Amino acid sequence: MGLFNRKNPYEKEALDLEAAMRISPERPDLRPRPTAPPLATAPQAPTLQTPAPMPPTVAAPTLPARNGSYGIEDAIKLMRELPDNKKEMVISIVQKTLISAKINVSTILDDAGRKIDRLERKNEKLHQEIRELEEAIIQRKLEMDTNARDIEETREVKLSFESTKRPVLDESFVPAPYIPEQKAG
């Protein structure tokens, strides 16, 4: 309990974080945190007023236990879980909470820059591969067009030869015998 007994300079920010993390109507999937029962006091006369229901709250985010490293992936995951209303206030509170947990926000920002660079390079590589595939498709289509023209020309010639009557040889015709010529001399 030594951690919780110390004076925390961010106590007000932690309370603000708790207030900011109340569930918005857009996030019904989040469950309320259990609250401690009220302290026993002297009995009082019952009143007719019913207490206003407490708005549900979101559990405080837990930090990953990965050798103390906290990167952009963790920050993205955390931001996905937080309510979307009052985004600037939520981001400010998250940054202060990270700082109080001795997590360097500039390290997260550097990690984000590296991730952006890596994804941009990957997109450029994919774009180049698409260009190469599109060029290959164009070449294949040109080859198909050439083949289609060659098929058509071949069919035309074939049909021409098939449709023309073949000459019938007269069986009574006997060719003259071959006699070699003599040289004068």
Side-chain angles (χ1 to χ4, degrees):
M1 285 287 242
L3 178 67
F4 297 105
N5 289 337
R6 293 186 207 148
K7 281 241 176 207
N8 187 346
Y10 296 102
E11 185 173 310
K12 182 179 181 322
E13 286 82 7
L15 293 174
D16 290 343
L17 175 63
E18 184 177 356
M21 295 177 71
R22 285 190 172 61
I23 297 177
S24 66
E26 299 87 35
R27 302 291 304 260
D29 58 320
L30 299 175
R31 303 281 184 242
R33 273 196 331 213
T35 57
L39 297 174
T41 58
Q44 297 179 353
T47 61
L48 296 175
Q49 296 178 351
T50 55
M54 293 291 291
T57 58
V58 176
T62 58
L63 300 177
R66 294 182 322 192
N67 300 331
S69 64
Y70 192 91
I72 189 63
E73 295 301 324
D74 300 306
I76 290 171
K77 183 179 176 185
L78 174 65
M79 294 304 294
R80 286 179 184 155
E81 295 174 1
L82 295 176
D84 289 336
N85 60 345
K86 299 183 182 179
K87 193 81 163 178
E88 288 181 23
M89 183 178 72
V90 170
I91 290 173
S92 174
I93 292 169
V94 168
Q95 285 180 343
K96 289 178 183 179
T97 304
L98 292 172
I99 290 169
S100 71
K102 305 219 183 314
I103 295 172
N104 192 348
V105 176
S106 64
T107 303
I108 296 171
L109 296 175
D110 292 343
D111 190 26
R114 286 189 299 274
K115 180 180 179 179
I116 290 169
D117 290 343
R118 184 177 62 251
L119 291 173
E120 286 176 343
R121 283 192 309 273
K122 184 176 180 179
N123 273 353
E124 183 56 38
K125 181 180 176 186
L126 291 172
H127 189 67
Q128 178 61 32
E129 288 175 8
I130 289 171
R131 281 193 300 256
E132 290 170 2
L133 291 171
E134 286 173 342
E135 289 173 10
I137 289 170
I138 290 170
Q139 291 300 318
R140 299 300 188 277
K141 285 183 177 183
L142 290 173
E143 188 176 337
M144 288 173 62
D145 289 343
T146 301
N147 288 343
R149 285 192 301 275
D150 193 23
I151 290 169
E152 187 61 34
E153 184 179 39
T154 304
R155 280 190 180 139
E156 287 176 14
V157 171
K158 179 183 175 199
L159 287 175
S160 295
F161 275 92
E162 288 176 344
S163 66
T164 307
K165 271 190 155 179
R166 292 186 182 131
V168 180
L169 294 176
D170 185 10
E171 292 179 8
S172 63
F173 174 76
V174 178
Y178 176 72
I179 302 174
E181 291 184 29
Q182 293 183 1
K183 292 186 182 180

